[in-house]
Amino acid sequence: MYNKNIQDFLCSESDPVVQTGAGRVRGYRINGIYTFCGIPYARAERFRLPEPVEPWEGIMDTQDYGHVCPTRPEHTTVGNLAFPKRYWLADENCQYLNIWTKQLDADAKRPVVVWLHGGGFAAGSCLELECYDGENMCRYGDVVQVSLNHRLNIYGFLDLSDYGPEYEASGIAGMEDIVSALKWIRDNITAFGGDPENVTILGESGGGGKVRTLMQMASADGLYHRAIVDSGILPCQDTTPEEEKENARAFAGRIVEAAGGLECLLQMDNYHLQNLIDRTAGTDFFNWCPVPRTGSYTGEWYNAGFRKETLHIPLIAGSVFTELVPRPRQINDKNALTQEQRYQAIVDAYGEEPAPAISEAFRKAYPEFNVYFASLADCMVRRPTVDFCVKRTMAGGRDTYNFLFAHETGYKGGLLSTHADELAFVFHNAEYIGALFAGEQTWKIQDEIFYSFMAFARTGDPNNEKITPWKRVTPQERNCFVFSKTPGNRVSHDEELMELIGKYSRHAQPRWVKKQTEKESTK
């Protein structure tokens, strides 16, 4: 983040310099926080598993971010008031990580929080949003914060296992990059003041999906000790791991054929690769996912089951109020709307018939909010997230916590949190984004969710002095901590609302959700 008040700065020939397994790195210190950016943690040939980096002589300057993975070009920056973005140099050799720490002391043993960025498995980077900066999480959370880049889209998730044993794990190469980063952290983080025996993996959206995937991979076992899945659970697909594997291999076959053969695919630059994908497979964001039955990845929790090896790991899973529901185009003061206008918004979203029941269910679930917001409530992420938590506890995952983030701002006349709004609060960076400001409530809700996540990283329990008791999910009790202007633990508070919205919602959904809904409607 941009530092407005620099009080001290240090970067000299010998300080700060840290010895890693591959060589020495030089970062810098600003306002008491040491920063190391762009440390290489692995290397890889195209479509192959990552390998350790080659050792280097002398001192490597690690004071700026490394390459991000190439992605499809973006053609608009709409929405940057709420999500200020950064764009960076891209290269498929993108295995770099960044560290923020208070001390370069092997005895400090601070909790380590590893950030996995969003963008599905196709896009994004560890620096894409300005709020990803780890300085304040390190400063106020008293943790060592790590973020990283890894291979995405065709570079990380194209299943070429039919083309030779060297490509056997190409369908999860991007995830194995992350495993390599976790191994690097295990072997090196002590020198940066971190505790390799207390590592939390934290991800939002696609990053939450990466956390979920790591828990289904034996190759990641023992490399992390707590997990936070934020907005990273979507509706279940009606497929088996075997079907998904077969579909991925067939998809890869079409890509190879369109390229003119494997050798052509191996030599093609990113511009032509992305054009090839567009011509062959279109622009579907969900073409790129970890391929089940590849390497040690078993598949999703809903069709492969929870791995017993990870059920002992404390886990938080949650979402935000609006999530992927489109923001309203009109910029009106929502509180100035008449009761008739608020009700009409619900009718417009769900239809005349269910509107009365949805309105009443919303009032019961969220009495602190304007009933207009019922028209924007998410169930596409909320419902599967609750289901995930309950099913995990039924499988034996005792330390499982659920949350919902619902911060109301004046942006565009009044909005409740949408997809990724919470991240500035999670990183303790809300002060940098004016569109998220809502008076003193802004700092209160930031403290509540930030210190809950930091307490969880430290102990595996999110309870702390900033909040009232947050209870675990159990098979009998669907506890959820709601971060709102009336925060607290609630039990099964919005089940009726979610049921109604799931049945009548007209909001856009991913293609497999539509198929699933169509199947259910014919039963």
Side-chain angles (χ1 to χ4, degrees), residues 366-383:
Y366 301 103
E368 68 268 41
F369 293 124
N370 183 333
V371 72
Y372 162 86
F373 290 116
S375 67
L376 300 174
D378 159 74
C379 74
M380 189 178 71
V381 180
R382 169 94 181 119
R383 290 180 80 189

Side-chain angles (χ1 to χ4, degrees), residues 147-441:
S147 64
L148 61 100
N149 287 321
H150 59 91
R151 284 174 290 177
L152 300 162
N153 53 72
I154 192 170
Y155 298 105
F157 301 99
L158 184 69
D159 187 355
L160 295 170
S161 54
D162 285 343
Y163 296 87
E166 63 269 41
Y167 304 113
E168 189 63 36
S170 61
I172 57 165
M175 291 304 307
E176 290 294 353
D177 283 353
I178 298 175
V179 172
S180 290
L182 292 174
K183 289 178 179 177
W184 188 97
I185 291 166
R186 177 196 63 195
D187 297 339
N188 295 279
I189 206 65
T190 299
F192 294 87
D195 183 358
E197 297 301 320
N198 187 1
V199 175
T200 296
I201 48 176
L202 160 64
E204 185 270 344
S205 191
K210 294 161 196 173
V211 171
R212 205 181 62 239
T213 301
L214 287 169
M215 300 185 81
Q216 299 292 97
M217 296 174 63
S219 61
D221 287 352
L223 299 175
Y224 61 94
H225 312 90
R226 327 207 188 288
I228 303 177
V229 180
D230 180 4
S231 299
I233 303 172
L234 288 171
C236 307
Q237 298 188 52
D238 187 20
T239 56
T240 66
E242 291 74 20
E243 288 172 334
E244 292 176 21
K245 173 72 172 176
E246 186 55 40
N247 291 340
R249 291 168 62 192
F251 174 73
R254 294 197 299 273
I255 295 291
V256 172
E257 182 179 2
L262 181 62
E263 287 305 314
C264 292
L265 191 65
L266 292 172
Q267 299 301 320
M268 199 173 288
D269 63 27
N270 180 63
Y271 175 81
H272 291 95
L273 268 179
Q274 299 300 335
N275 284 336
L276 170 72
I277 294 167
D278 288 351
R279 294 195 313 271
T280 308
T283 59
D284 193 336
F285 193 78
F286 296 99
N287 276 324
W288 308 111
C289 292
V291 180
R293 302 294 192 260
T294 301
S296 67
Y297 176 49
T298 59
E300 285 282 12
W301 62 278
Y302 52 77
N303 58 19
F306 293 96
R307 293 180 60 244
K308 66 180 186 303
E309 292 85 355
T310 63
L311 290 174
H312 69 285
I313 293 173
L315 178 138
I316 293 176
S319 59
V320 302
F321 185 85
T322 301
E323 284 293 357
L324 301 172
V325 179
R327 289 181 183 270
R329 293 182 180 179
Q330 71 275 17
I331 303 179
N332 299 321
D333 183 353
K334 308 305 186 297
N335 290 321
L337 297 175
T338 66
Q339 291 297 331
E340 290 76 14
Q341 289 172 322
R342 298 176 188 187
Y343 183 77
Q344 186 59 47
I346 299 173
V347 172
D348 292 344
Y350 308 108
E352 189 75 47
E353 179 186 348
I358 290 175
S359 177
E360 182 60 26
F362 182 86
R363 292 180 193 277
K364 291 178 181 177
Y366 301 103
E368 68 268 41
F369 293 124
N370 183 333
V371 72
Y372 162 86
F373 290 116
S375 67
L376 300 174
D378 159 74
C379 74
M380 189 178 71
V381 180
R382 169 94 181 119
R383 290 180 80 189
T385 300
V386 173
D387 190 42
F388 172 89
C389 290
V390 173
K391 295 288 177 56
R392 185 173 192 264
T393 65
M394 293 173 66
R398 179 173 175 270
D399 294 320
T400 303
Y401 298 87
N402 178 231
F403 76 88
L404 181 75
F405 187 82
H407 176 56
E408 185 177 2
T409 74
Y411 179 49
K412 289 194 174 181
L415 288 177
L416 276 174
S417 305
T418 190
H419 195 63
D421 272 359
E422 78 285 13
L423 292 179
F425 300 86
V426 168
F427 279 85
H428 208 289
N429 287 330
E431 65 184 276
Y432 294 96
I433 303 179
L436 300 178
F437 181 69
E440 288 302 312
Q441 173 63 29

Side-chain angles (χ1 to χ4, degrees), residues 34 98-105 108-115 134 137-139 141-147 185 189-195 198-200 454 457-458:
Y34 293 94
N98 318 294
I99 301 172
W100 289 264
T101 181
K102 286 184 177 180
Q103 286 181 279
L104 303 177
D105 180 358
K109 298 290 186 181
R110 283 185 166 87
V112 180
V113 178
V114 181
W115 168 245
M137 181 182 286
C138 167
R139 183 185 307 282
D142 202 27
V143 300
V144 175
Q145 208 275 309
V146 181
S147 64
I185 291 166
I189 206 65
T190 299
F192 294 87
D195 183 358
N198 187 1
V199 175
T200 296
M454 294 302 99
R458 185 164 289 103

